[in-house]
Amino acid sequence: MKTIALVSTVGGAGKTTVTAALAVLLARRGRPVAAADLDPQNMLGAHLGLDTFARAGLGHAMAGQGEPWHGNTWRNADGVLFAPHGETTLAERTAYEARLAQEPHWLVDALARIDFPARGVALLDTARFPSQQAAQAVRAADLVLCVTPPDPAGCATLARCFPSLRETGALVKVVVNRLNPARDMQRDALVLLRAAVGDALELAHRVHFDAAMPESLARGEWLFDEAPHSQASHDLHGLANWIDAWLDGTLDVGMAVDSEHTR
Ligand SMILES: Nc1ncnc2c1ncn2[C@@H]1O[C@H](COP(=O)(O)OP(=O)(O)OP(=O)(O)O)[C@@H](O)[C@H]1O
Ligand SMILES: [Mg+2]
């Protein structure tokens, strides 16, 4: 099983949206997919079909209350196995942040307990970077996807954090989300980002802005089902295809994945 961490350095970048969409698109390609929510906002379950916020979840396991997967794992209509974060109190989050700081490999160990075939993939939705959850996810990842909006705040904060995201030796790629090429400001922000991250920023890894994205979510549907020919649907399929090929090892990604990080 390989692990993909989705991180972002600003709020609302589209991390949860992209995590859920990729989970479903990869599952529809026949890939065994697990998804884990490490963000106290507890939104991944809603994207994957829960009609209420799961009360129990990984947040409690991180705080030392019970086991990470047993009793916390759901399966959605497309066969994605997922573990919500659950509803936690401030005291519980303070406790688990302290624990994660003490046990930097908590998530690596928890993921090793998932009994998944070698061709399976785990997708990790994280709290905004920097955070204990994002640090654990990056440490566990073979591939880190930095989801960022093409605006000055998103690009400048990612440019600043990028060296620390690369420290583990995992492959790191930028996914530009909410792209609107007609806006000069976005082009300028991406030039700045490109100067900082080099070929981690590829044209292929982008998802255009589509106002129908939140509307589909609100209806409990997927944009790529409701509007399969839209640019954003095409982009999400392209990203899923790229990841599928990377998982199969048929891509020349230009940078070797450290064997220590390959499970
Ligand atoms: N490509 C897109 N086009 C238009 N809207 C989008 C796009 N991607 C995501 N959104 C919308 O942007 C909002 C934020 O997305 P999402 O919750 O996935 O971001 P996030 O990075 O997980 O946020 P948070 O920092 O709160 O965890 C949602 O309403 C989502 O529907
Ligand atoms: Mg989110």
Side-chain angles (χ1 to χ4, degrees):
M1 180 180 85
K2 288 223 166 63
T3 300
I4 302 177
L6 288 98
V7 301
S8 57
T9 54
V10 289
K15 200 169 8 85
T16 307
T17 303
V18 174
T19 305
L22 288 176
V24 166
L25 290 173
L26 289 167
R28 289 185 187 179
R29 284 159 174 73
R31 187 72 63 185
V33 180
D37 190 355
L38 302 169
D39 188 344
Q41 296 213 15
N42 197 21
M43 281 300 292
L44 186 65
H47 283 252
L48 287 170
L50 293 185
D51 48 17
T52 57
F53 292 105
R55 296 190 63 76
L58 289 175
H60 305 92
M62 291 190 285
Q65 302 162 27
E67 207 269 335
W69 315 115
H70 184 70
N72 291 330
T73 308
W74 304 69
R75 187 188 290 273
N76 90 338
D78 289 287
V80 175
L81 285 173
F82 65 99
H85 179 279
E87 296 292 298
T88 47
T89 62
L90 179 59
E92 285 166 333
R93 292 195 294 279
T94 306
Y96 80 53
E97 282 174 23
R99 182 181 183 201
L100 294 181
Q102 291 288 321
E103 298 178 32
H105 288 89
W106 183 88
L107 184 61
V108 171
D109 296 341
L111 288 166
R113 278 190 261 157
I114 299 181
D115 186 15
F116 241 39
R119 59 186 302 280
V121 60
L123 298 171
L124 309 175
D125 186 14
T126 59
R128 191 195 309 182
F129 188 91
S131 61
Q132 290 297 335
Q133 298 99 306
Q136 293 255 342
V138 169
R139 211 169 282 129
D142 302 288
L143 169 64
V144 177
L145 295 179
C146 310
V147 182
T148 193
D151 62 25
C155 292
T157 51
L158 179 55
R160 218 168 55 223
C161 295
F162 195 71
S164 57
L165 287 165
R166 249 189 174 157
E167 270 170 11
T168 66
L171 179 66
V172 182
K173 292 285 178 189
V174 175
V175 174
V176 173
N177 184 36
R178 313 174 67 98
L179 180 69
N180 180 352
R183 297 188 61 191
D184 288 345
M185 180 269 283
Q186 294 200 350
R187 265 181 278 145
D188 294 346
L190 288 174
V191 168
L192 178 149
L193 183 59
R194 172 90 197 192
V197 308
D199 61 8
L201 178 62
E202 288 179 38
L203 208 60
H205 301 151
R206 43 104 177 84
V207 181
H208 283 77
F209 179 87
D210 192 326
M213 193 86 89
E215 291 168 16
S216 293
L217 170 67
R219 284 192 289 273
E221 301 290 341
W222 295 106
L223 182 73
F224 42 78
D225 292 334
E226 292 197 314
H229 302 296
S230 65
Q231 179 67 55
S233 297
H234 174 82
D235 297 339
L236 287 167
H237 275 290
L239 192 55
N241 287 341
W242 183 87
I243 291 173
D244 211 31
W246 173 77
L247 288 167
D248 280 338
T250 56
L251 266 188
D252 175 14
V253 291
M255 180 179 156
V257 179
D258 192 316
S259 58
E260 223 180 275
H261 295 91
T262 307
R263 274 165 289 277

